[in-house]
Amino acid sequence: GIHKLPPGSILTWKPGEEPEIKPYWSPRDKALEGQHSPDAMSIDQAADFGEKLIGDAVQRQMIADVPLGAFLSGGIDSSLVVALMQQHATRKVDTFTIGFEEHAWDESSHAEAVAAHLGTRHHTLRTSGRDALALVDTIAGIYDEPFADSSQLPTVLLSRLVRQHVTVALSGDGGDEVFGGYARHGWGQNLRRYQSAFPGPVRRMAAAGIGALPTSWLDGLLAITGQTGDHGGHRLKRAMAMGAAADFASGYRQMTSLTLDPANLMRSTREHNAKAHDPETVADLPDCLTRMQVTDAMGYLPDDILVKVDRASMSTGLEVRVPLLDHRIWEWAMRTPQYHRRMGNTGKVLLRSILARHVPPALFERPKAGFAVPLAKWLRKDLRDWAENLLKPAHLEDCGLDSDTIKSLWTAHLAGTEDHAPLLWSILMLVSWNGSSGQHQVQAGQLHGG
């Protein structure tokens, strides 16, 4: 009987009456207003205005009567927040990052370089897979609901480090949603052109052909062509599925789902009504990029990114603030031309322009990495016994999952022919939460994720 209040809504209750829920602010409505009243500023004028607006948001979020610091990954969003913090601070800002022993996953040197340039008092937590693995039995309790973004592990570790020094921390979360920074935003724009160039039957045949290939083979092919990154094969399959879709809403749902057929994992085939992907929600927005941004702002942002950081930080008594999600910044960004947000394969054009005034581009211009852990490797080795205990048929069926289908996913992952780590992590977190909470039965739609 417990429900969440939708984002941007207010609930009014009077004794003897049913509660009334009304929206008071909508990213979709503000985007539509912005597109109808566009801003004609040049890129330099927009950068001038944006620097003042974001600087004001940062300064407001710095008001605190307890020690204050900031997360710093060395990426565009957190670097800009820290640069503007340091500009308004009366002392060195405390900044924090996490570094992994696994070299391929360690980006702490980028954060350290930005911190040195900005003159912050920087702290790096050196951690190993063992530290993250030690969290797996407690993570479901921290999140209080089925939640399966694996970057929750380093986020909890980072929050514990930060809380040793400060009580409030600013974060760069929200920059990708507000300024079109996700790689899928570029893929989506390219796929719209692809949809225009090829008829539906051809696109569906291409999607089916790519979908039938092992993801490990696709990963290798993408590496040969220079397209590196986590789960590239999965991303390609989802992109082709989006290109084959009849409309934007169903296509973007394919792009952002962990699996193209979640009902196949369930004993029941009940489906949910994904309001964030309802065709009526964004159909009246004029361009593909804005549609993707609004869809993310109504779904992925409040249901994944903000949940991840809020639960991780509050589990250790740390308050995290997100100045880039000041409503004024979203409303202004939606008035800017889409090429001020994204141009080709380059996202966050305006943020890059502003940040370059404070940090040399060589320190932040690099491929987007995210906040990932070597999950595929851990599931095959360190986490294998833990995972296999949760994937017992009785545990899966208690959640309404089809044990035979999931066993085949697990077997293929262990063999290395497929990388099912994100989907398996979602299943493992669901089973783990179910076992700790006593809750039962989950609809197929709840397995859709970012």
Side-chain angles (χ1 to χ4, degrees):
I2 297 173
H3 303 273
K4 293 182 179 180
L5 191 66
S9 300
I10 186 168
L11 182 147
T12 304
W13 177 79
K14 297 179 181 179
E17 298 181 10
E18 288 294 314
E20 181 182 46
I21 298 175
K22 290 184 177 180
Y24 63 83
W25 190 89
S26 162
R28 175 206 163 275
D29 291 348
K30 295 303 178 181
L32 195 59
E33 290 175 15
Q35 298 294 294
H36 288 161
S37 302
D39 199 320
M41 293 182 182
S42 68
I43 187 70
D44 290 334
Q45 291 172 325
D48 290 340
F49 183 86
E51 182 171 11
K52 292 177 182 178
L53 178 60
I54 297 171
D56 180 68
V58 167
Q59 192 171 17
R60 288 167 180 254
Q61 295 291 328
M62 291 174 67
I63 298 173
D65 55 6
V66 293
L68 176 80
F71 291 174
L72 178 60
S73 68
I76 293 168
D77 306 330
S78 64
S79 296
L80 179 58
V81 168
V82 169
L84 296 176
M85 285 181 73
Q86 192 62 72
Q87 187 178 63
H88 293 293
T90 56
R91 59 171 181 81
K92 286 188 174 184
V93 173
D94 283 288
T95 53
F96 304 87
T97 193
I98 191 168
F100 287 101
E101 289 181 356
E102 291 89 345
H103 180 72
W105 302 88
D106 182 24
E107 296 217 315
S108 60
S109 60
H110 300 303
E112 290 164 357
V114 172
H117 177 79
L118 293 175
T120 71
R121 183 164 52 242
H122 192 64
H123 311 261
T124 300
L125 168 65
R126 296 291 174 189
T127 188
S128 68
R130 293 183 300 275
D131 298 315
L133 297 175
L135 294 174
V136 294
D137 285 329
T138 63
I139 206 77
I142 289 174
Y143 280 84
D144 288 328
E145 65 178 299
F147 184 82
D149 182 333
S150 62
S151 62
Q152 64 199 122
L153 294 172
T155 304
V156 170
L157 290 174
L158 179 60
S159 296
R160 291 179 179 179
L161 162 72
V162 174
R163 185 61 184 86
Q164 294 173 16
H165 300 270
V166 301
T167 311
V168 175
L170 270 60
S171 162
D173 287 320
D176 289 306
E177 286 81 6
V178 180
F179 291 97
Y182 289 122
R184 63 175 175 265
H185 294 157
W187 285 57
Q189 289 180 301
N190 292 334
L191 285 166
R192 295 302 286 176
R193 290 188 284 270
Y194 163 72
Q195 286 177 316
S196 300
F198 296 95
V202 173
R203 290 185 274 115
R204 287 190 288 273
M205 287 178 60
I210 293 293
L213 297 173
T215 52
S216 57
W217 190 89
L218 292 173
D219 287 340
L221 178 63
L222 291 170
I224 292 173
T225 60
Q227 302 295 315
T228 58
D230 291 340
H231 311 296
H234 278 296
R235 293 178 188 275
L236 179 58
K237 288 185 178 184
R238 294 202 303 259
M240 295 302 293
M242 180 179 180
D247 58 73
F248 167 81
S250 59
Y252 199 58
R253 184 178 180 184
Q254 298 279 32
M255 172 71 86
T256 56
S257 294
L258 289 174
T259 173
L260 301 179
D261 187 12
N264 186 49
L265 302 175
M266 311 299 296
R267 286 188 297 153
S268 167
T269 57
R270 291 176 297 170
E271 188 54 275
H272 76 322
N273 178 23
K275 293 183 179 179
H277 297 278
D278 186 337
E280 299 304 318
T281 301
V282 297
D284 51 355
L285 293 172
D287 63 82
C288 178
L289 176 61
T290 304
R291 292 180 184 182
M292 289 186 284
Q293 290 179 261
V294 170
T295 302
D296 288 340
M298 293 191 300
Y300 183 60
L301 181 65
D303 292 333
D304 186 320
I305 300 299
L306 297 182
V307 172
K308 175 185 69 178
V309 176
D310 180 67
R311 306 291 168 83
S313 59
M314 292 308 295
S315 72
T316 191
L318 175 71
E319 177 189 344
V320 175
R321 301 174 180 176
V322 282
L324 292 179
L325 291 181
D326 185 303
H327 69 93
R328 298 170 299 160
I329 297 175
W330 173 270
E331 291 162 9
W332 167 66
M334 291 299 103
R335 294 197 301 271
T336 64
Q338 60 174 309
Y339 54 81
H340 281 183
R341 286 170 269 147
R342 186 171 195 97
M343 188 178 298
N345 292 325
T346 302
K348 297 185 282 196
V349 174
L350 268 174
L351 293 190
R352 291 172 191 269
S353 180
I354 298 169
L355 180 57
R357 301 176 175 188
H358 302 272
V359 176
L363 295 184
F364 64 83
E365 290 289 4
R366 60 183 185 279
K368 184 175 176 60
F371 198 26
V373 294
L375 186 60
K377 173 186 171 183
W378 287 355
L379 287 175
R380 294 185 182 113
K381 295 184 178 180
D382 306 77
L383 284 177
R384 180 169 177 171
D385 291 343
W386 169 81
E388 287 185 333
N389 179 61
L390 288 174
L391 295 177
K392 290 177 179 178
H395 295 159
L396 294 170
E397 290 167 10
D398 193 42
C399 292
L401 298 167
D402 185 280
S403 59
D404 291 336
T405 301
I406 292 169
K407 181 181 178 181
S408 66
L409 294 173
W410 179 241
T411 301
H413 183 80
L414 291 179
T417 56
E418 295 281 351
D419 180 358
H420 291 305
L423 179 55
L424 287 167
W425 184 255
S426 182
I427 293 166
L428 289 163
M429 286 293 98
L430 173 60
V431 176
S432 179
W433 174 82
N434 188 63
S436 65
S437 68
Q439 299 299 312
H440 301 279
Q441 300 300 320
V442 179
Q443 292 188 29
Q446 288 179 272
L447 287 171
H448 280 291

